[in-house]
């Protein structure tokens, strides 16, 4: 006992260490060197009395902790309301409330991809998902829109509906549907247009209806199902009729346009269709192709080039001078020859490709670029000289003899008047009546090529005699029929005629 009591400090420290270790027990020893109660003896001595230490009562802070927790919850809710979409919000019928825009976008895409479509009525029901059909929606943009317009903090925006457009990839959906229910597909045949060489026109071959599942109707059904909150739907897989993409009316419109173009197709200089292109040649340049349900004209540039190569020979020309018949005063009596400008075709290197593009747009009028050479005008001063003494008629042009023939003028009792006259009328054929010197009447029928120049005196053809060079008429100038026609054509109204002896 003496050994233990002699080291009260050590004992005290040990007991403190014990208490500090968490055992919760300390000896009833005072802070002095001697204990207030006996310590356990060494050997046969009496044991010490031990007792547990009563923990010091802690102050109760329950109200404080409740207040802190509520504050944290309020702060968390406030922060969440700044980043989450309002509760009850749907995008295209898909719930996105309590989500961030990113999570909402993922939810929309997943929901749509996992939506199941059961095709009924076509044998064993087939099930396809939105992913199989290439279903798509602009999930990110719609999620951002939902958050921007319907954030959680705005309680008036809770329970909102954000519409969205769902689409199916046409090719992917068609492939998936054909694989699932092949019996529902019998491809329609489009109407077509072709050239009929017998008639020289474009004609229509009517289209034929088929069967196919309507992807547009299926898209609408999926949209309606999601809008109603569903994740699956049944859709008829029975083969509904499918119209051709190119209808008979479509083909008829193309044929009408092409046939109209055939009536005007060609190479033009101004308004002149200088080089027409015949229908068969035009048809050899043109193909009508069915481009995914739309008829389109395709023109062959190389085929057009063969015609372009021959254009210079058909377009180029020298000028043709104008020739005008005039009188002694220079007055124009008649345009004998119309003036025509000369022309030379320009560069042809781009014509074939340009015309091909025009034809594909439905325009068959190609305007050529030419360089023109103006024509000159020439005056022809013409006269007729009748020499009664020589019994001749001579035609002059600009003082030079053109033709000269023997004629028969009026006889002594009915002489041809002498003087200067002008042609005033032409008659193709007529009956001539008059009086003989003895007072008797005469009628000569069907006198041809009559050119009047003085009252009832005229140049005309004569079939009842051939005694030219001798006066034989009642005052007219008788001529062989071919000569009378030449004068008829050569002498316009106003041409000057001189009759002398």
């Amino acid at each position: 006992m003496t050994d233990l009591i002699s080291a009260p400090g050590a004992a005290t420290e040990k007991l403190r260490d014990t208490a500090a270790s968490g055992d919760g027990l300390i000896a009833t020893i005072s802070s002095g060197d001697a204990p207030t109660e006996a310590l356990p003896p060494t050997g046969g001595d009496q044991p010490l009395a031990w007792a547990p230490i009563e923990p010091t009562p802690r102050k109760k802070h329950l109200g404080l902790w409740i207040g802190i927790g509520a504050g944290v919850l309020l702060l968390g809710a406030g922060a969440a309301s700044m980043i989450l979409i309002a509760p009850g919000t749907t995008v295209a019928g898909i719930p996105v409330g309590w989500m961030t825009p990113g999570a909402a976008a993922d939810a929309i895409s997943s929901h749509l991809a996992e939506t199941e479509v059961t095709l009924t009525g076509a044998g064993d029901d087939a099930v396809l998902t939105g992913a199989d059909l290439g279903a798509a929606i602009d999930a990110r943009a719609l999620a951002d829109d939902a958050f921007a317009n319907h954030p959680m903090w705005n309680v008036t925006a809770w329970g909102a509906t954000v519409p969205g457009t769902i689409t199916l990839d046409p090719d992917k959906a068609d492939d998936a549907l054909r694989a699932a229910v092949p019996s529902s597909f019998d491809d329609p045949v489009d109407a077509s247009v072709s050239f009929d060489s017998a008639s020289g026109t474009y004609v229509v071959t009517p289209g034929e209806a088929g069967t196919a599942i309507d992807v547009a109707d299926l898209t609408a059904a999926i949209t309606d199902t999601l809008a109603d909150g569903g994740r699956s739907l049944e859709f008829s897989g029975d083969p509904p009729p499918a119209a051709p993409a190119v209808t008979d009316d479509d083909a008829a419109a193309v044929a009408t346009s092409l046939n109209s173009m055939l009536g005007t197709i060609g190479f033009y200089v101004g308004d002149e269709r200088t080089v027409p292109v015949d229908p068969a040649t035009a048809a050899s340049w043109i193909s009508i192709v069915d481009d995914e349900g739309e008829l389109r004209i395709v023109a062959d540039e190389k085929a057009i080039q063969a015609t372009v190569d021959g254009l210079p020979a058909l377009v180029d020309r020298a000028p043709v001078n104008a020739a005008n018949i005039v009188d002694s005063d220079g007055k124009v009596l008649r345009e004998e020859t119309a003036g025509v400008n000369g022309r030379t075709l320009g560069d042809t290197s781009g014509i074939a490709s340009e015309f091909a593009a025009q034809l594909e747009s439905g325009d068959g009028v190609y305007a050529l670029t030419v360089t023109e050479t103006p024509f000159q005008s020439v005056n022809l001063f013409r006269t007729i000289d009748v020499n009664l003494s020589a019994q001749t008629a001579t035609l002059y042009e600009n003082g030079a003899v053109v033709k000269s023939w023997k004629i028969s003028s009026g006889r002594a009792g009915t002489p041809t008047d002498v003087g200067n006259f002008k042609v005033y009328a032409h008659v193709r054929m007529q009956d001539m009546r008059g009086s003989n010197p003895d007072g008797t009447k005469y009628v000569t029928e069907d006198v041809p090529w009559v050119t009047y120049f003085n009252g009832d005196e005229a140049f005309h053809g004569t079939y009842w005699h051939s005694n030219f060079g001798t006066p034989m008429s009642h005052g007219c100038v008788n001529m062989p029929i071919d000569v009378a026609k030449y004068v008829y054509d050569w002498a316009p109204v106003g041409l000057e005629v001189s009759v002398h002896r």
Side-chain angles (χ1 to χ4, degrees):
M1 185 174 179
T2 305
D3 294 337
L4 180 58
I5 295 174
S6 63
T12 302
E13 292 299 324
K14 184 174 181 179
L15 290 173
R16 288 177 178 167
D17 291 342
T18 299
S21 69
D23 291 337
L25 298 175
I26 60 171
T28 55
I29 301 173
S30 66
S31 59
D33 289 339
T36 58
E37 295 185 10
L39 295 174
T42 302
D45 297 333
Q46 295 297 317
L48 290 169
W50 295 91
I53 300 174
E54 291 292 334
T56 304
R58 296 182 179 179
K59 294 181 180 179
K60 296 180 179 180
H61 301 293
L62 180 60
L64 176 60
W65 287 110
I66 292 175
I68 293 173
V72 170
L73 288 175
L74 289 172
L75 289 172
S81 73
M82 303 301 292
I83 62 171
L84 300 180
I85 298 171
T89 302
T90 62
V91 171
I94 301 169
V96 294
W98 298 98
M99 297 183 188
T100 64
D106 292 341
I108 295 167
S109 297
S110 297
H111 191 116
L112 182 58
E114 294 166 3
T115 297
E116 292 187 345
V117 179
T118 301
L119 299 172
T120 62
D124 295 335
D125 291 348
V127 179
L128 297 174
T129 65
D132 296 331
L133 298 166
I137 190 171
D138 194 349
R140 184 68 213 201
L142 290 168
D144 288 342
D145 180 66
F147 175 69
N149 294 295
H150 311 287
M152 192 174 81
W153 60 262
N154 184 0
V155 295
T156 63
W158 291 20
T161 298
V162 178
T165 300
I166 295 170
T167 61
L168 299 185
D169 181 284
D171 293 334
K172 190 170 184 178
D174 186 70
D175 291 344
L177 292 167
R178 285 176 183 272
V181 282
S183 62
S184 293
F185 288 85
D186 179 16
D187 291 338
V189 178
D190 286 348
S192 61
V193 176
S194 59
F195 182 74
D196 176 37
S197 58
S199 64
T201 61
Y202 283 93
V203 296
V204 173
T205 300
E208 298 177 9
T211 59
I213 294 177
D214 193 315
V215 173
D217 288 348
L218 178 56
T219 303
I222 293 173
T223 299
D224 291 344
T225 296
L226 294 181
D228 292 339
R231 298 183 67 98
S232 63
L233 67 147
E234 292 185 350
F235 190 82
S236 176
D238 288 331
V246 179
T247 66
D248 294 353
D249 288 344
D250 295 335
V254 172
T256 299
S257 176
L258 286 169
N259 287 330
S260 176
M261 186 169 69
L262 290 181
T264 58
I265 188 170
F267 299 90
Y268 286 69
V269 176
D271 294 331
E272 175 192 85
R273 190 183 180 192
T274 307
V275 183
V277 177
D278 65 87
T281 299
S284 71
W285 297 352
I286 295 171
S287 300
I288 299 92
V289 299
D290 188 337
D291 188 0
E292 297 185 355
E294 182 177 354
L295 294 182
R296 183 166 57 86
I297 298 172
V298 177
D300 185 346
E301 181 180 334
K302 291 183 179 179
I304 297 171
Q305 186 62 49
T307 299
V308 172
D309 290 340
L311 287 178
L314 299 172
V315 175
D316 293 356
R317 70 185 180 202
V320 176
N321 289 335
N324 299 313
I325 300 173
V326 299
D327 62 13
S328 56
D329 294 327
K331 178 183 177 181
V332 175
L333 305 180
R334 186 177 72 195
E335 182 184 63
E336 187 72 354
T337 304
V340 178
N341 288 335
R343 65 189 177 203
T344 303
L345 184 62
D347 180 22
T348 63
S349 59
I351 290 178
S353 62
E354 291 171 0
F355 201 13
Q358 281 191 206
L359 292 173
E360 290 177 356
S361 68
D363 181 4
V365 176
Y366 187 87
L368 296 171
T369 300
V370 298
T371 301
E372 291 195 338
T373 302
F375 65 84
Q376 303 294 319
S377 293
V378 176
N379 288 336
L380 305 175
F381 173 44
R382 290 180 177 178
T383 60
I384 299 176
D385 179 84
V386 177
N387 188 324
L388 299 178
S389 298
Q391 288 292 288
T392 60
T394 302
L395 310 186
Y396 289 90
E397 185 176 275
N398 292 337
V401 174
V402 176
K403 297 280 187 180
S404 185
W405 304 273
K406 288 292 184 177
I407 52 98
S408 291
S409 63
R411 291 178 293 190
T414 54
T416 302
D417 294 337
V418 173
N420 295 317
F421 311 101
K422 291 185 178 182
V423 172
Y424 70 88
H426 297 80
V427 179
R428 167 68 181 79
M429 181 176 290
Q430 71 175 117
D431 296 343
M432 289 189 171
R433 294 175 173 81
S435 299
N436 293 309
D438 61 4
T440 59
K441 304 294 183 182
Y442 71 88
V443 176
T444 306
E445 298 179 346
D446 298 333
V447 179
W449 308 115
V450 182
T451 302
Y452 284 100
F453 60 88
N454 176 33
D456 59 358
E457 294 181 349
F459 303 103
H460 62 73
T462 305
Y463 58 84
W464 53 89
H465 77 84
S466 58
N467 192 23
F468 302 108
T470 301
M472 296 286 294
S473 78
H474 291 88
C476 288
V477 178
N478 291 181
M479 293 178 157
I481 292 175
D482 61 331
V483 173
K485 181 181 185 306
Y486 189 96
V487 172
Y488 182 97
D489 293 334
W490 188 82
V493 170
L495 186 134
E496 297 167 20
V497 177
S498 174
V499 180
H500 61 92
R501 295 188 189 280

